[in-house]
Amino acid sequence: MNNINLLLVGVGGQGTILASKVLAEVAMQSGLDVKMSEIHGMAQRGGSVVTHVKIGSKVFSPLVEKGEADIIMAFEQLEALRWLDYLKPEGEVLVSRQIIEPVPVILGKAKYPDNIVAEVKKVVSRVIAVDAVDIAGDCGNPKASNVVMIGMLAQKLDFSREVWIEALRKLVPPALLQINEAAFEKGCAC
Amino acid sequence: MKALLSGNEAIARGAYEAGIKTAVGYPGTPSTEILENITQYPGIYAQWSPNEKVAFEVGCGASISGARTLVTMKHVGVNVAADPLITFSYTGVNGGFVLVSADDPGMHSSQNEQDNRRYAEFAKIPAIEPSDSQEAKDFVKAALEISETFDTPVMLRITTRIAHSQSMVELGEPQSSELKAYVKNPVKYVMIPAYGRIRRAAVEERMQKLTKWARETSLNTIELKSRQYGIITSGICYQYVKEALPEASILKLGLTYPLSEELIKGFAQQVEQLFVVEELEPFFGEALESMGIKVAKKGLFAKIGELTVSLIKEKISAELGLDLPAQSKVETAGLPVAPARPPVLCPGCPHRAVFYTLKKLKLTVTGDIGCYTLGVLPPLEAIDTTICMGASIGTALGMEKSNPALVGKVVAVIGDSTFFHSGITGLVDMVYNKGRGTVMILDNSTTAMTGHQHHPATGKTLREETANVVKLAELARAVGVKRVVELDPFDLALIEKVIKEETAAPETSVIIAKRRCALLEKGTGKPVGIDRDKCINCKQCMALGCPAIALRDGRVTINTDICTGCNLCVQVCKFSAILKAGEGHE
Ligand code: SF4
Ligand code: SF4
C-alpha cells in the first residue's frame, strides 16, 4: 500500500495525543509499519501542538513535511489553517469547529480570522467540518470530542471497524468507554 | 512481541532487558520519560536526584559498587554533570555505566542547542546514537557491553526526534545481571594526582582500542547502492536520508565517537562523491577533514536547527546536478494568516500574581528555568534575564553588587525544583556576601514544566513512595537568611506588601510563594463570573494574562470552561465587577 501521512493538530490539552495513539495502534494491529512523532514540554502550556503519524509497509522519517500530509485532522479551526501548508494538493481536512483563542487574540493584539472553514474550502476541495464538541456533549462528555474526530477518521481509512473499537478499549480508561464508543459511532456517521 | 514505543520508552525497556540495576536522573525535556517508564519494571532501583551532577555521582557510586547503571538527563544537564563525567572517564567502571544525553536540536524546549557529541570527545568516552526506538532499546545493551569491555562510561546520545518519536520495537526477555563484586581499588577509584596520572594513560590506551574496534563493530553499517554518491550519517538523520535518497550508499554510524579512519576511508573509496549529513556541529565533517578524506561539499548544511528530508533531498540533488520536481502543496498564499499561539501560564497558575506584581512595582527580575519563564511574554513581561538552572540568584547578586542603581530593586525568581537543583549555593553566596536582594521561591510543589515530577520537598519519590521532606523555609533559615516569609500567591494585596517590605530591607530576604500547580488541582475550583452592570470594560483584569479572560465582541468575558476560580481577577477589578463563584452572577 502507499504510505499514509497524517497530521493531528490542536491546542495543548485537547487530546490530540490520545487520538494519535489510537490511530497508531490500529495501524500496528493491521500489520503495518507506523511511526509517530510529537513534541512535549513548553508547547503543551496552551501552545499549538502537532502529532505526526505515518503509516505504510515501511516508514523511515517519523515526520510529515510540508506538502506531504494526506489528511490533516484539526481539533481547532485556527490550527487547521496554521498547518495547511503541510497538506498535499489532493489532501483532505477534517476539522472540529471548536474555537480556542490564542493569547494575542485574547489581548486584542491579533484577530482570529473569520470563516476559517470557508477560507480553507477555497483551496482544499475535501473539507469536513463538524461540531465535535457538541456531538461529544450529546454523548455524555464534551471532552470526548477527540473520539468523535477519531470516528470521522475511521471512515476515511481502510481499517476494519473492530480494530478501531479494540484500540479504543485498549487506550481509553474503562470508566469513559461507553461515552467514547458512542462518540466514535457518531463520528463515523459524520 | 512488538510494541509501539517512543525512544524514551524503548530506552527504559532496554534498561530492563539488559539488567540495569540502578537508574538515576533529573527531569528535563526530552529525557524525562525514560525514568518515568523505568518505574514499571521490577528489579531496578530508580530515583530522581536534585540535579544532574548528583544524579551522575549516584550513578558513579552504583557502578563502582558493581551495578549496571543508567543515568539520564537533557543536553544542558550534562553541563551540570560535566565535572564528575570527565574524571569518571579516568576511573572507569565496575558495573556497566550508560549516560543518556538527550539533545534538543531546534530548541523545542531548551535554552540552547549544544551538540553533546562534543562532550564524548572532550571526556574521552565512546558515544553511540540510535536512529529509531528499536535501536534505542538495543543500544542500551550495546552500551553496557562496551562499558564493561573497555572499562569506560558510555554516552547514549539521542535527540528530541528519537526521544519523542514512536516506532515499532521487538520486545525481548529480561536478561538477569549479577551485581559485580565490589573490590576496594584506590589506584583506580581515588583520583589523587599520582593515581590520576596512571589512569590518564589508561584512558588514551582505551581510546586507541576503541578506535580499532570502531572498524569492526556492527553498530556501524554500510549499505552499498549507488556508486555515484555515498552519505555518512547517524541518528535520526539516517531516517531522513533513507527517505530523501533511497538510492544513496550509506555509512550509518551507530558508534559516533570514536571514529575509525579505516572504515570511513574504505567507504569513501567505494563512491565517487561523499557527503556528510549531520545535525548541529560539523562533528563528522571535522573528523573527516583531519583524516584527509574529501567530501563533495563542506558546510552543506547549516549548524543551526534541525534537518529535514526535503532539505537533504534538495541540497544533495543540487550538488549531484539532479533535477527535482518542486514539492507541490496546497496554495495557501491568499488565505488569512494564522495568529501565533504561544504557550502561556495556565488559568489559575499560582505564578501569575507574582509576575503581575513584580511588573507593577517596576522591579528588575532575574528569572530561572521552568513554566515561570513564561512570565517574560506579554502581557506580564516581568522577567529581565534567564540563563540556566539556578542562575537567577547569582545573577541578582551580581547586578546589585555592580550597579548601585539596582540595589534594592532586584528580585530573583526561582521554582522549588530549580531551587533544589542549583539555587541553594546561590543563596549561600547572597547571605555570605551580604547581598540585599530578594529571592522568591515559587513553590508549586512539583517540577511542572517537564510534566510534574517529584522533588525533595514533595514528600514522594519517583516511585510515588513516601519520602523525607526537605523544607524550603527551614533550609533558607539554616543558611543564614533572617527574613523568610511564606505567603499564598493568590493573595494579591499581601504579595505586594511583602515584596515592597522585603526589597526595602537591607539584607537578603526569601519569599516562598506556596500553592500547588493548577494542573495538579484541576477540576477543584469553581469559575468566577462578570456582573455586566458593573463592568466598565476597563480591561485591567486582562493585564493578568489569564487565558480564561478574553475579549468577546469587544467585551471582557470569562471562559468558564477553563477558569479555575483562583480569584485573582476578582482582586484586580476595581469596580467589583468580577464575582466569586456562588456570589450571584449568571
Ligand atoms: S503547569 Fe502549573 S506551574 Fe506550569 S503554567 Fe500551568 S499552573 Fe503554572
Ligand atoms: S479567577 Fe480570573 S484569573 Fe483566575 S482562572 Fe478564573 S478568570 Fe483566570
Side-chain angles (χ1 to χ4, degrees), chain B residues 162-221:
Chain B
I162 297 294
H164 289 164
S165 293
Q166 310 200 359
S167 57
M168 306 245 252
V169 177
E170 185 68 50
L171 304 183
E173 286 304 313
Q175 156 200 337
S176 67
S177 81
E178 290 304 313
L179 201 62
K180 288 199 178 169
Y182 169 66
V183 184
K184 182 168 171 162
N185 186 352
V187 181
K188 181 160 159 46
Y189 294 119
V190 181
M191 287 302 95
I192 53 170
Y195 298 162
R197 281 181 213 114
I198 297 171
R199 295 302 304 172
R200 173 76 188 84
V203 167
E204 291 307 321
E205 209 177 287
R206 171 182 86 207
M207 289 321 284
Q208 274 175 16
K209 282 190 194 146
L210 273 158
T211 308
K212 240 192 190 152
W213 181 75
R215 169 81 195 81
E216 71 214 35
T217 171
S218 60
L219 292 170
N220 300 328
T221 53

Side-chain angles (χ1 to χ4, degrees), chain B residues 135-422:
Chain B
E135 288 184 356
K137 188 193 76 140
D138 296 343
F139 280 23
V140 176
K141 188 164 169 231
L144 284 168
E145 282 162 5
I146 299 170
S147 176
E148 289 171 0
T149 310
F150 294 93
D151 190 10
T152 177
V154 174
M155 177 187 285
L156 178 63
R157 184 212 185 220
I158 56 173
T159 56
T160 300
R161 301 302 185 178
I162 297 294
H164 289 164
S165 293
Q166 310 200 359
S167 57
M168 306 245 252
V169 177
E170 185 68 50
L171 304 183
E173 286 304 313
Q175 156 200 337
S176 67
S177 81
E178 290 304 313
L179 201 62
K180 288 199 178 169
Y182 169 66
V183 184
K184 182 168 171 162
N185 186 352
V187 181
K188 181 160 159 46
Y189 294 119
V190 181
M191 287 302 95
I192 53 170
Y195 298 162
R197 281 181 213 114
I198 297 171
R199 295 302 304 172
R200 173 76 188 84
V203 167
E204 291 307 321
E205 209 177 287
R206 171 182 86 207
M207 289 321 284
Q208 274 175 16
K209 282 190 194 146
L210 273 158
T211 308
K212 240 192 190 152
W213 181 75
R215 169 81 195 81
E216 71 214 35
T217 171
S218 60
L219 292 170
N220 300 328
T221 53
I222 290 179
E223 296 170 32
L224 221 44
K225 286 188 176 170
S226 160
R227 295 296 172 138
Q228 194 198 348
Y229 70 110
I231 294 174
I232 298 179
T233 190
S234 70
I236 194 67
C237 293
Y238 166 76
Q239 305 292 348
Y240 298 161
V241 167
K242 287 295 283 181
E243 188 159 321
L245 304 157
E247 289 314 309
S249 290
I250 300 175
L251 168 56
K252 172 177 177 292
L253 296 169
L255 178 68
T256 48
Y257 189 78
L259 298 174
S260 160
E261 186 169 332
E262 228 181 302
L263 176 74
I264 296 174
K265 279 204 168 131
F267 178 69
Q269 276 159 10
Q270 306 202 53
V271 293
E272 283 163 39
Q273 292 196 67
L274 188 64
F275 295 93
V276 173
V277 177
E278 59 186 330
E279 247 165 20
L280 302 184
E281 295 298 305
F283 187 76
F284 301 149
E286 287 171 5
L288 261 62
E289 203 175 337
S290 74
M291 291 170 188
I293 300 171
K294 228 178 110 42
V295 293
K297 172 115 181 161
K298 254 175 73 178
L300 190 56
F301 298 100
K303 294 179 193 172
I304 302 171
E306 298 185 286
L307 297 186
T308 61
V309 172
S310 43
L311 193 71
I312 292 168
K313 203 191 271 181
E314 182 194 309
K315 295 260 181 179
I316 292 186
S317 317
E319 287 303 314
L320 294 171
L322 303 176
D323 241 351
L324 275 188
Q327 174 78 46
S328 59
K329 57 180 190 203
V330 172
E331 191 41 71
T332 53
L335 296 184
V337 180
R341 190 186 296 280
V344 280
L345 293 175
C346 302
C349 175
H351 304 330
R352 179 167 282 110
V354 169
F355 290 121
Y356 177 83
T357 309
L358 290 169
K359 182 184 185 188
K360 183 173 166 191
L361 299 178
K362 300 200 171 60
L363 292 163
T364 297
V365 177
T366 54
D368 228 295
I369 307 282
C371 285
Y372 46 91
T373 311
L374 295 172
V376 71
L377 298 178
L380 293 167
E381 295 168 304
I383 299 178
D384 291 71
T385 67
T386 296
I387 298 168
C388 67
M389 293 287 284
S392 59
I393 304 178
T395 309
L397 183 63
M399 283 182 135
E400 72 157 280
K401 289 291 182 191
S402 315
N403 186 336
L406 291 171
V407 176
K409 299 214 161 46
V410 188
V411 176
V413 170
I414 184 167
D416 43 352
S417 189
T418 312
F419 181 73
F420 284 115
H421 180 284
S422 45

Side-chain angles (χ1 to χ4, degrees), chain B residues 347-348 352 528 544 546 548-549 558 562-570:
Chain B
R352 179 167 282 110
V528 300
L544 284 167
C546 172
I549 310 176
I558 305 286
I562 58 173
C563 166
T564 68
C566 75
N567 291 330
L568 279 184
C569 53
V570 175

